[in-house]
Amino acid sequence: MPTEVKPYTASELLCVMSARLLEEGQVVFAGVGIPLLAATLAQRLHAPGLTILFEGGTIGPHIVPGQLPPTTNEQRCTRRANMLVGITEVLLLLQRGYVDVGFMGGAQIDQFGNLNSSFIGPADDPQVRLPGTGGGNDIASLAKMIVAMPQEKRRFVEKVDFITSPGSLRGGTSRKDSGLIAGGMYKVVTDLALLDFDEKTGRMKVEALHPGVTPDQVQANTGFELPVGPDAGFTNPPTAEELAALRRLDPDGVYTA
Amino acid sequence: MSLEEAAALVRDGEHVALGGSTASRTPMAMIWALIRAGRKDLAVSRSIVSTEGDLLFASGASRHILTSWFSQGIVWGVSRVMRAYTESKRARFEEWSHMSIGLRYRAGAMGIPFMPMRSMMGSDVAGRLPDLREMTCPFTGEKLLLVPALNPDVALIHVQRCDPYGNAQIDGLLFMDTDIAMAANRVIITAERIVSNDQIRRAPDQTKIPFFAVDAVVEAPYGCAPHECFGAYEPLFTHMDFYAELTRKDPEKGVKEYLDRFYYGPKNWTEYLNLVGLEPLLDATRRGRSIYAD
């Protein structure tokens, strides 16, 4: 009989579901927040040989529970790491093909997996100027991508206001045609479902629903047509072990509250 | 030389590159000195810009910042000051991808006019930048993006140790600093400590910037505060929280208040540190040195 655990938050669900996608031995280029937490969780659970890269120039950091670095560029990121390199060098690892998975969050995503973290509204007269690409554009241009974000209508839009980090651009072969020959969108993890992309059209589709979620719920929180195909299944709920490990990593709920 | 003397080496309207990244090894003491000296219309570039960008905008020292990411830090959300200045068109945030900035400095450091790269193509980030070219590789026929060299007039870089000649040693994350130094026409180094040339020669592998690239060396203890300097101190989180809170409700008023109190108010850098406070400095120092305790 499983022991009674405190119910999980949406962020905790995101972390656990993302962590499950990472495999032993992979090299993962992770942003801070949920991606870093999920990558560290995967290390603790099933992928002790997972290597994390930070865009600040850290290769293989050792993250201390309760002391998650606030950015990818601080000395906390470097604790007991394998190697420190310059920013340009760590990003060039993407271009050379050393990175198995790029993993980040997103403010806004569209049906082709393009991400926007630059402008809400038109770029020349925005309602909101967002912080910008950081390493996002380079990571999404060069690596196989996992994106973790909450599923809301205002975040899942038909067409992003601005393509900061490329998915399949306009679908079909447009990504390759533009000169981006590697990588591309692989999975999107939300608090409602696990999403992937149609190989031919580049459009987003539902791979599996999280426990207790209905197709209507997914559609109600999405600004474009998001079909739940006949082969879509259900994900398994977070286990007590997964949640306990996650709560040890972020005891103060900095990222998972 | 002093911070004030070094600030006189930077002229209005020049392109200034900042070493470090986000809240790490920010050349805050030199930025502080430039703002106090009333510098105007500087074009500023950096890999990632944190609170120093707010202060450069709000003081009028710069109305044009070239970077890949501009906000205090993820945990503090989007910078309200950056938003206020860019959304009202009083200042410009020119957005490039992180790697493209690195390769632009690198081309500058290599003495060549451009670098080819494989990212940014097809995105709107590239779409907004006039200084890009696509080319077909003459060897393979592949499509590549070319980014132009960036040779700043001045680079401001803060390091842990430097000798009087300008041999600068950097511990921990290097960011883009060697490229920035080699690409710039003038380099101003601020250092936690000025050490003898003998000290430098004991660990030449730690020297990341050679003396012949350097024009000025200034000793500036806690020269990144409230940001961090690897192995010496972590960010002064309480001060960073205080700044975020001050600028959240009324960004314009908050940042002006901050500049008056911490930039224009103190007589010198020591007095600035005094205002920041001994307790946060000691706390940040304890946390910063702990990396050597593992």
Side-chain angles (χ1 to χ4, degrees), chain A residues 32 55 73-76 78-79 87-89 95 118 123-124 128-129 131 133-134 137-138 141 163 177, chain B residues 22 24 68 70 87 89 95 97 99 106 118-120 123-124 128 143 228 230-231 234-235 288 290 294:
Chain A
V32 283
E55 69 179 52
N73 303 297
E74 282 160 297
Q75 72 171 54
R76 272 189 199 189
T78 67
R79 266 200 135 80
I87 291 175
T88 308
E89 282 67 31
Q95 189 166 274
S118 301
D124 292 318
V128 183
R129 182 47 163 122
T133 158
N137 176 286
D138 300 308
S141 292
I163 300 179
D177 297 345
Chain B
T22 329
S24 279
S68 71
F70 186 157
E87 289 167 18
K89 311 263 198 296
E95 184 178 337
S97 89
M99 190 168 80
R106 174 136 320 159
R118 291 187 190 272
S119 73
M120 249 196 342
S123 71
D124 289 334
R128 276 176 70 80
K143 195 185 276 194
E228 76 165 21
F230 186 100
E234 274 200 347
S290 72
D294 277 353

Side-chain angles (χ1 to χ4, degrees), chain B residues 35-79:
Chain B
I35 288 175
R36 285 161 59 89
R39 283 296 160 281
K40 275 188 192 49
D41 302 322
L42 301 172
V44 173
S45 64
R46 194 183 191 207
S47 56
I48 288 181
V49 167
S50 175
T51 51
E52 77 285 357
D54 291 359
L55 303 171
L56 286 162
F57 276 173
S59 64
S62 174
R63 285 188 301 213
H64 179 193
I65 290 180
L66 185 165
T67 189
S68 71
W69 199 87
F70 186 157
S71 269
Q72 183 167 346
I74 298 225
V75 288
W76 293 283
V78 186
S79 161

Side-chain angles (χ1 to χ4, degrees), chain B residues 122-142:
Chain B
S123 71
D124 289 334
V125 177
R128 276 176 70 80
L129 297 169
D131 292 344
L132 299 173
R133 299 288 180 275
E134 281 191 357
M135 83 172 277
T136 305
C137 172
F139 297 101
T140 63
E142 291 173 294

Side-chain angles (χ1 to χ4, degrees), chain A residues 192-244:
Chain A
L192 299 178
L194 179 60
L195 312 167
D196 61 358
F197 295 86
D198 183 275
E199 259 174 59
K200 271 207 183 60
T201 62
R203 278 178 208 275
M204 197 185 285
K205 59 185 182 43
V206 175
E207 182 183 329
L209 299 167
H210 293 326
V213 176
T214 65
D216 288 352
Q217 242 178 307
V218 171
Q219 194 55 71
N221 286 284
T222 308
F224 51 89
E225 198 69 28
L226 188 56
V228 181
D231 38 3
F234 279 98
T235 57
N236 294 316
T239 65
E241 186 202 5
E242 285 170 323
L243 290 172

Side-chain angles (χ1 to χ4, degrees), chain A residues 54-77:
Chain A
F54 288 136
E55 69 179 52
T58 302
I59 298 176
H62 176 88
I63 304 299
V64 181
Q67 289 194 26
L68 296 160
T71 79
T72 52
N73 303 297
E74 282 160 297
Q75 72 171 54
R76 272 189 199 189
C77 302

